Amino acid sequence: MVDSRLIPETYDRGFQQPTPRSVEEFNELPAHVWPKNATRTSNGAVDIAGCSLAELADTYGTPLFVVDEDDFRSRCRAMAAAFGAENVHYAAKAFLTKEIARWVNSEGLHLDVASLGELQVALAASFPAERITAHGNNKTQDYLEQIVTAGVGVVVLDAPGEITLLNECAEQAGVTQSVMVRVKPGIEAHTHEMIATAHEDQKFGFSLASGSARAACEAAIEAGNLDLVGLHCHVGSQVFDAEGFSQAAERVLQLFVQLYEDRGVRLSTLDLGGGFGIAYTASSRALDVTSVAEDLIHRVDRRCEKLSIERPRIMVEPGRSIAGPTTVTVYRVGQVKDVHVTDTQTRRYVAVDGGMSDNVRPALYQAEYDLRMVNRNATGNPTATRVVGSHCESGDILITNESYPDDIATGDLVATAATGAYCYAMSSRYNMMLRPAVVSVKDGQAKVMVQRETIEDVLGKQL
């Protein structure tokens, strides 16, 4: 018997039996979570867009990101149908490669970048600079100079000093730069604290309540080389309560009225950001973008009528809701062992050849994912299972506590769905586990989007 006095209380988390799940349920692929073209074939293996995940894993190694191109494009088109293509700015921070920038461009959407690096990738893909909006809470002079030089369409102002610096850059370039002011509307989004962005005590934007948003607008209006065209706000990420978007819009519209009445400035654009929630697990549901768009536009129309102003153009910035569901991450199972939890209970630990270096979100936000075996059908009995990575961290956990068949074994292939957003983008080289390859699939053909990082890539940068 283990002496409980030897286990610090903060680490004695106990054991909770996961809800039992039949092997038939485990072998199903929840259509609202997995890419649209994912199917389990007659031999039990999983294909996406006619490409076998097992064959892709053998060819390109694991871990491996696999992107369903048609799914990605269809989600771009759905957003365009809901809001108008010219009003949809794909948020590059979710997942950006040159190929993705080309897809977004060909679907007629605009693009948001949040750093100089993202801007440079977009420009390298020949994305039209005039259809790019530049974000960032700490834009450097180099970033602002390249924004102005490239002819980026709009800059979202995020700090008082940035207004002065951008005006100077634009003056030196002899241009007038269109800008929006990022406003904190004071909305508490129902999401994780670290991805809520509209409340007062956080780093982004200017406060509506304190008057700093109004002051920023005044400064932009007075700047000789800036053209204030609108206001921007963002309530958070992975938001399922559509009410927050409407409340934010109503609050920000008050500032539209003030600027028109006091300064005669009529702003043309209201950017409501992104944050539309997606389904990560079989029990969750994504936000219905079409109904949200209709409801949101209707509410803004009514509010503008009450305020006696013309409705501005409504822009949105989806990233996760386009990229997230289109991608899976394939892993190969390594060691499997049963771990003592209590005197009467054990938990099976299944280790895979990736983990927090390719998906840090479970460790950061307690994010949950749907995992399935993809090289064959499972046949075993349900057992309490934790899926862990290969890093030297006890918190390197991909699936905390689920009921999985007990025949998952060394050498099998498993995949987590909905990994298109913020997984590769936030990847690292922790423990020198190098960044995976990214492969897109379409019509039975696979194309390497990003090559697997090699140790030669790393050593070549070291002196």
Side-chain angles (χ1 to χ4, degrees):
M1 179 180 294
V2 176
D3 188 342
S4 61
R5 293 172 299 177
L6 301 178
I7 306 175
E9 183 178 354
T10 54
Y11 292 97
D12 185 13
R13 295 180 175 86
F15 178 87
Q16 183 175 359
Q17 185 70 41
T19 303
R21 180 167 51 172
S22 69
V23 69
E24 290 78 16
E25 289 178 294
F26 178 74
N27 288 330
E28 292 176 1
L29 302 179
H32 63 292
V33 181
W34 281 67
K36 291 180 180 179
N37 294 301
T39 58
R40 192 176 288 281
T41 63
S42 58
N43 67 0
V46 174
D47 289 359
I48 297 181
C51 294
S52 162
L53 293 183
E55 291 180 5
L56 293 175
D58 288 342
T59 302
Y60 301 106
T62 52
L64 177 68
F65 287 96
V66 181
V67 187
D68 183 343
E69 178 180 344
D70 282 339
D71 191 3
F72 188 101
R73 288 179 177 273
S74 73
R75 294 175 190 278
C76 289
R77 290 192 287 271
M79 283 289 178
F83 291 100
E86 70 281 2
N87 299 319
V88 179
H89 290 225
Y90 173 70
K93 63 182 179 178
F95 188 21
L96 181 66
T97 67
K98 290 194 293 183
E99 184 71 1
I100 284 178
R102 288 190 282 264
W103 293 349
V104 172
N105 184 27
S106 68
E107 295 298 335
L109 272 56
H110 291 221
L111 186 70
D112 280 343
V113 298
S115 70
L116 175 57
E118 289 180 0
L119 174 60
Q120 291 170 329
V121 171
L123 295 176
S126 300
F127 198 96
E130 66 274 13
R131 284 172 36 215
I132 295 176
T133 296
H135 288 264
N137 70 298
N138 186 31
K139 302 181 189 73
T140 63
Q141 182 167 342
D142 188 24
Y143 183 21
L144 293 174
E145 286 175 349
Q146 292 199 39
I147 285 170
V148 171
T149 301
V152 166
V154 180
V155 177
V156 178
L157 301 172
D158 210 287
E162 180 186 319
I163 300 173
T164 302
L165 184 56
L166 178 59
N167 187 55
E168 292 173 353
C169 292
E171 182 179 15
Q172 291 172 4
V175 300
T176 299
Q177 177 64 57
S178 295
V179 299
M180 288 190 285
V181 168
R182 180 160 181 168
V183 177
K184 289 186 283 191
I187 301 296
E188 290 291 340
H190 296 165
T191 187
H192 193 284
E193 179 185 359
M194 293 297 102
I195 50 177
T197 56
H199 55 287
E200 294 292 338
D201 192 9
Q202 48 86 20
K203 70 177 186 177
F204 294 106
F206 299 90
S207 168
L208 196 61
S210 71
S212 67
R214 170 65 184 266
C217 290
E218 296 279 1
I221 292 168
E222 294 297 330
N225 290 83
L226 304 182
D227 178 22
L228 181 65
V229 298
L231 301 178
H232 174 284
C233 66
H234 185 71
V235 298
S237 296
Q238 192 59 357
V239 176
F240 290 93
D241 183 0
E243 184 69 21
F245 295 105
S246 297
Q247 290 181 10
E250 291 183 2
R251 293 189 184 187
V252 175
L253 284 170
Q254 295 288 349
L255 186 50
F256 274 72
V257 174
Q258 293 172 17
L259 293 172
Y260 179 65
E261 292 180 346
D262 299 345
R263 297 297 301 263
V265 174
R266 189 186 297 275
L267 302 181
S268 63
T269 304
L270 171 60
D271 189 335
L272 293 173
F276 306 116
I278 68 169
Y280 279 103
T281 63
S283 61
S284 61
R285 289 293 181 270
L287 200 64
D288 185 336
V289 173
T290 301
S291 62
V292 167
E294 292 174 353
D295 181 52
L296 184 57
I297 292 170
H298 176 66
R299 291 189 186 208
V300 172
D301 279 336
R302 285 193 306 171
R303 188 61 178 169
C304 288
E305 286 177 10
K306 290 181 180 180
L307 295 172
S308 299
I309 62 172
E310 183 179 343
R311 176 170 68 81
R313 168 191 180 193
I314 298 174
M315 284 172 39
V316 291
E317 302 170 353
R320 182 196 315 269
S321 55
I322 291 177
T326 69
T327 302
V328 304
T329 308
V330 184
Y331 303 98
R332 194 171 297 278
V333 174
Q335 300 302 316
V336 178
K337 63 182 178 182
D338 293 328
V339 173
H340 171 95
V341 180
T342 71
D343 287 346
T344 59
Q345 293 165 315
T346 62
R347 194 195 319 270
R348 175 152 295 181
Y349 274 62
V350 174
V352 298
D353 57 353
M356 65 192 305
S357 62
D358 59 77
N359 189 355
V360 73
R361 294 186 69 254
L364 280 182
Y365 311 132
Q366 295 77 56
E368 297 179 339
Y369 284 87
D370 186 87
L371 178 142
R372 309 283 161 154
M373 189 138 58
V374 296
N375 61 307
R376 63 180 177 89
N377 278 317
T379 58
N381 297 314
T383 188
T385 303
R386 177 168 288 172
V387 180
V388 298
S390 300
H391 301 82
C392 195
E393 294 284 341
S394 58
D396 179 25
I397 300 171
L398 291 173
I399 306 292
T400 301
N401 186 34
E402 263 291 358
S403 172
Y404 289 150
D406 61 5
D407 65 320
I408 298 176
T410 300
D412 277 326
L413 294 170
V414 295
T416 48
T419 56
Y422 304 104
C423 289
Y424 190 86
M426 299 173 77
S427 62
S428 72
R429 292 192 192 122
Y430 183 47
N431 287 156
M432 272 310 157
M433 294 185 63
L434 307 179
R435 291 180 177 89
V438 182
V439 176
S440 65
V441 291
K442 179 180 179 180
D443 298 331
Q445 299 295 316
K447 181 168 63 174
V448 176
M449 189 184 294
V450 182
Q451 292 182 337
R452 180 173 301 279
E453 197 171 42
T454 68
I455 194 64
E456 288 75 23
D457 295 329
V458 175
L459 295 177
K461 296 180 183 301
Q462 297 186 12
L463 303 182

